[in-house]
Amino acid sequence: MFAADTSRALELTSGWFLENAWLAGLLPVIGFALIIGLGKRMPMKGAEIGLASMAATLVVTVGAAIQWMQRVNSAEGPGEEATGLVQAFGRSLPRAAEGGEAEPFIAPVVKTWVWWQNSGLEFGIGSSIDGLAALLLALVAFITLLVQIFSLDYIRNDRRYTHFFASITLFSGGMLIMLMAENMVQLILGWEIMGLTSFMLIGHWWEEEANSRAALKAFFTVRVGDVGLLVGTAIIFFGANQWAVDNLDSNGFNISAIQAWALSGEADTQFLLWGAVALFIAAIGKSGQFPLHTWLPDAMAGPTPVSSLLHSSTMVVAGVFLVARIYPVFWEGFNIGTGGLSFIAIIGAITIVIAALLAFVQDDIKKVLAYSTVSQLGYMMLGLGTGAWLPAVFHIFTHAFFKCALFLCAGSISHSGSHHSFDMKKDMGGLRKKMPVTFAAWIVSTLALTGVFPFAGFWSKDEIIDNVGNNGYTFLMWVALGGAALTAMYMTRATYLTFFGEPRGAAAGEHHQHDTDVEAEEHELEEATVGAPEPRSLGAAAATHGGGGSAGGDHDDHGDHGDHGDHGPHESGPLLLVPIVILAFLAVVAGFANPTPLASRFGEGVELIKTYVEPRAEAVVVDDFLASGPGDSLILVDVPAAAPAAEAEGDGAAKTGCGFTSPEAGTVCFFPAVSHAEPKFAKILLSLGIVAAGYAVAIAFCVAYYGRRDKRLVGLTERNKALRGGFLFLKNKYYLDALYENVIVRAVAHPIAKAAYWINQHVLDATVDGVGVGARRTGQWVYDNIDQKVVDGAVNGSGFAASEAGHAMQSTQSGKVSQYGALLFGAAAVAAIVLVIVNVS
Amino acid sequence: MLAVNFLLLAAVLFSIGVYGVIARRNAVMVLMSIELILNSVNLNLIAFSLMHGVADGQVFALYVIAIAAAEVGVGLAMVLMIYRNRRSIALDELSEMKG
Amino acid sequence: MSAVILAAEGVNVAQNVAFGIIAAFMIFAALSVVSSKNVVHAALWLVIVLAGVAAQYILAAAEFVAVSQVLVYIGAVMVLFLFGIMLTRAQIGKEFGLNNSAWPLGIPVAVVLFGLLAWVILDAYEDDVLPDPGGPTPTEALSDQFLSIYLVPFLALSFVLLAAAIGAIVLARKD
């Protein structure tokens, strides 16, 4: 069972950052506590603690990522110490397909402490760093730091500035904890922290009921999914635990053990299937897939930094991360490897389309971006569901940059351009001249989002589409291509409405009647506190403000608005722009981290993500059972010649290896051998062409409809019933919200509530009342019978007996001397007789 | 002569005296019965003195006589007092100490 | 009991006979004391008893005590009793109701006592013969005892008599 002579124990390098990556989870939590405790007293109101903790976390995570890359490089051969991107970029690694040595599985670096043990199970908390974790840890820390810098200016003078930073910091702590989790319990911990902070942050301005409702909706919708998380974890635990104990000296919560169990071939398919279904339901909830996507657009009620951090780049990818992390379970449970249509892929595809369609009818720019996020998450799920693991993870990476940049641009626009309004139709337009930097970043990010060469989205999204087609899902590939076209179209619409055309509303310098936008309300409150002459209501805003800039007295109170010197749109300050520019820059270059189409020319070394992040699908022997408990990294023994994973290049190659066949006795697999499509020029052209066509159509439409107000198009939906029906259907979000709230919730919750109330009144209260009445009656009976009759009877009886005895004895005390004499002599006689008898006998 | 003679005689007298104390109603009669008892005791003492050939018993008997005399004196004084107070010396009427 | 009366060896018959006659008188007189219906008769019967006791003392060679008995008991105590009877206006002649209500109780008590005493005495001293005194007890022997061993009780006795005398006077005073 153990290693034969031909194998060698893998000696992989580790490093301080890898060993202590748990600091990345701990530092933000400490930062959170410090901000809560000390934030209000600090000069920057706690923001400095948040920034400092995120910066330190970034150092730890980047260091861990670098050391991980060194670790991977150290497995290639003795003496090769490749560090940094440059050397890895230039070197071409021998791969199995090219006849080189089969690459060994790189064991994650684990460092945990046991925090609870129960009936033989040990629960650890700490870090387990492999490629996926290293990549996402650094990503989350980086994005959080940028968003915090953005927030310094954006959230200035907010009524709960300190708590905002505390929540943001705690969120990143929660996500990092989840990312580095070594077992499902810690993953659930991080997941729940994220849900909590999401709730806190969406409802940051909870004084408006719409915001608190949105926060509750987000929380509860994700909660529906979380049921799946717990159920799935339990199912997987019961399936995997025995196998893990027997083979790996681990338990059914350990993620590595779960991966190995799923691929071992000894796993019960029912456990795998239902565990996968349940866990995917959790991913649906968290990542906003159909049908639990309804919370994400409403979550835009939170401040823009929250939307850019949580609901675009980091938190919503937690579901995708979950699937990617425990991929073997889904691979086996849904039979992804055999080309069948998997549940994940279907949901992903549906999500892509419906979210893209909904983005067309949104007036709120953040909602457009929100639906865009949902759609892109659909792409990631589609990729995972069809076996395209690497492109999906790469898409997480690139999507984070350009989506976050887009949201921050939206924030910049509202902060400096449209006077805190997000309504594109009413308060934006023509902003490209006034806000050039924002405009440039927006354009770059949009191009990245739609997948235009050479921006980031092209490399990742097209890889997904390519692999989907390559793995045999032709229909889904056309769906994804259609989605790419739709993406181009709605983003064009949004861009046109925002940056082109004539300035409207606030973008024109007017202070419109603000609609229910919350930041408008925020603005009203700020004005009121600064000492505006009379109290304002929303409706009165138009009356008092009417006409741009005329009432000079009112507008002089905007001292604290700093940049509002002339009340027109203008570019934002540096604190807002620097993160945007950084992210836009990354949106340009991030794609080159894994430019698969270039691999054929430059060698596979250019595919950094593939090299360092994708786990190797090699069967390995786990050495030294005792070392593979919580707290220690697995020590693997390389099995070079035993079962080389056949990387199926191209279509139709014979599939063997991890994920397709059971590993040999004594070895375990941790990752299935996913196939990688070789990009073909023709396919690339096809996708680029479709995107270009989408752009063309959209630009033409926007210019015609919004620009020239072409008579054929204006009012089309009012004239044409079919189009109007479709428009209303989209506007009402497919009536899903109505279905959920009015039908499902009411049908389920109200009867349950009524039943619960009935039980409470008639069962619980009746029980309590009954107990009370019974107790009183018992007490009464006891009093009447026992206390009065028995106890008192005894007491009285004893008294009676004593008095009667006394009365009886009274006759001896007659006072008569003769009687006393008789008694005396009689008693003396008796005593004497007794004495005589005693002494004589 | 046998020792038991005296002793039995004394016992008889004693018993009669006890009966008299118990049965008699008149206080003076009771005192007289007490005298009987005392004399029986004296007889015993004399008999024992004779038995052992020492004079101690006779000394004791003299003591008893003297004490008896004192006791009768005081007792009769008390009887007189009672008679003065209550015009009757029937002992069964003197039951204030009943309880 | 026949040994009491019958002449046995070492038994002085004359003494026995004398003892028996006197004892019979005494017992009869004692019974009369406690059962007489006339208080004065009862007192007089008591005189007989006391005299009989004195005679027994003489038989027991305790002459001094006998004489003291006569002098003190019969001479003083009985006179005292008669004075007491007189002063308490006892009915002269027969009176009824001299026995109190508890008199039936007295008989068993007395009988039990007598039985007990008789049994004890017979058990202890049966067939013990009194020694022949060999003449009267000299008064010197008594006085030797009184004034040496029993000196303290003797003096105490005098105090008792004094106290009794004073007490009787105090108690019986009219005022």
Side-chain angles (χ1 to χ4, degrees), chain A residues 75-411:
Chain A
E76 299 315 310
E80 294 212 58
E81 289 288 326
T83 61
L85 294 171
V86 175
Q87 279 171 288
F89 196 82
R91 193 159 52 87
S92 92
L93 304 166
R95 306 285 295 200
E98 294 178 20
E101 208 173 74
E103 286 175 343
F105 177 78
I106 312 290
V109 177
V110 175
K111 185 90 181 91
T112 59
W113 294 269
V114 176
W115 61 274
W116 188 36
Q117 356 194 57
N118 182 21
S119 61
L121 280 178
E122 289 185 331
F123 295 98
I125 188 166
S127 62
S128 163
I129 307 296
D130 66 348
L132 178 65
L135 178 72
L136 292 180
L137 281 172
L139 178 72
V140 168
F142 179 65
I143 301 253
T144 309
L145 184 62
L146 290 180
V147 167
Q148 284 200 350
I149 295 173
F150 183 87
S151 309
L152 286 174
D153 197 7
Y154 193 82
I155 305 286
R156 184 169 298 166
N157 298 322
D158 186 87
R159 61 193 96 147
R160 275 183 291 275
Y161 189 79
T162 309
H163 286 173
F164 179 84
F165 271 93
S167 304
I168 289 263
T169 314
L170 181 64
F171 159 76
S172 65
M175 179 131 195
L176 293 167
I177 288 174
M178 184 196 74
L179 290 171
M180 66 171 69
E182 172 254 353
N183 56 40
M184 291 301 293
V185 176
Q186 185 176 339
L187 193 148
I188 294 174
L189 172 70
W191 187 281
E192 299 294 341
I193 292 178
M194 288 196 290
L196 169 71
T197 50
S198 167
F199 172 77
M200 283 157 61
L201 287 165
I202 295 174
H204 184 74
W205 295 307
W206 49 262
E207 285 85 0
E208 286 88 45
E209 201 203 332
N211 297 342
S212 62
R213 263 197 286 116
L216 282 171
K217 182 175 177 183
F219 191 74
F220 287 133
T221 311
V222 176
R223 211 79 192 116
V224 171
D226 285 354
V227 172
L229 182 63
L230 294 171
V231 169
T233 306
I235 293 176
I236 298 291
F237 171 76
F238 284 115
N241 194 42
Q242 194 56 49
W243 187 91
V245 168
D246 292 339
N247 291 284
L248 286 178
D249 199 24
S250 183
N251 60 51
F253 286 116
N254 188 302
I255 290 178
S256 300
I258 293 173
Q259 292 170 341
W261 163 75
L263 289 173
S264 66
E266 299 164 24
D268 191 332
T269 47
Q270 291 301 311
F271 280 107
L272 281 170
L273 173 65
W274 294 110
V277 167
L279 287 172
F280 187 60
I281 290 175
I284 289 177
K286 196 71 150 182
S287 291
Q289 303 295 296
F290 177 84
L292 293 175
H293 64 280
T294 50
W295 66 271
L296 229 167
D298 284 17
M300 298 299 119
T304 308
V306 171
S307 309
S308 68
L309 179 62
L310 271 73
H311 305 119
S312 62
S313 28
T314 49
M315 191 185 88
V316 293
V317 300
V320 181
F321 168 76
L322 178 70
V323 177
R325 188 56 132 167
I326 324 181
Y327 198 58
V329 171
F330 297 97
W331 176 271
E332 294 289 332
F334 290 132
N335 292 314
I336 296 176
T338 56
L341 203 56
S342 73
F343 186 44
I344 300 179
I346 297 172
I347 296 284
I350 295 175
T351 309
I352 295 174
V353 174
I354 65 166
L357 288 176
L358 282 173
F360 279 102
V361 297
Q362 302 301 320
D363 293 335
D364 186 326
I365 188 174
K366 278 173 65 173
K367 287 212 167 109
V368 173
L369 295 175
Y371 280 112
S372 170
T373 306
V374 173
S375 186
Q376 295 301 308
L377 290 168
Y379 270 102
M380 298 177 207
M381 284 302 185
L382 176 64
L384 286 173
T386 54
W389 191 93
L390 177 63
V393 171
F394 186 40
H395 199 53
I396 296 178
F397 183 66
T398 55
H399 172 265
F401 295 127
F402 53 71
K403 193 48 68 65
C404 188
L406 284 170
F407 267 104
L408 293 184
C409 287

Side-chain angles (χ1 to χ4, degrees), chain A residues 818 822 825-826 829 832-833 836 840, chain C residues 100-101 105 109 112-113 116 119-120:
Chain A
S818 47
F825 287 114
I833 291 173
V836 166
V840 166
Chain C
N100 64 21
S101 52
L105 186 61
V109 173
V112 165
L113 264 177
L116 170 70
W119 188 87
V120 171

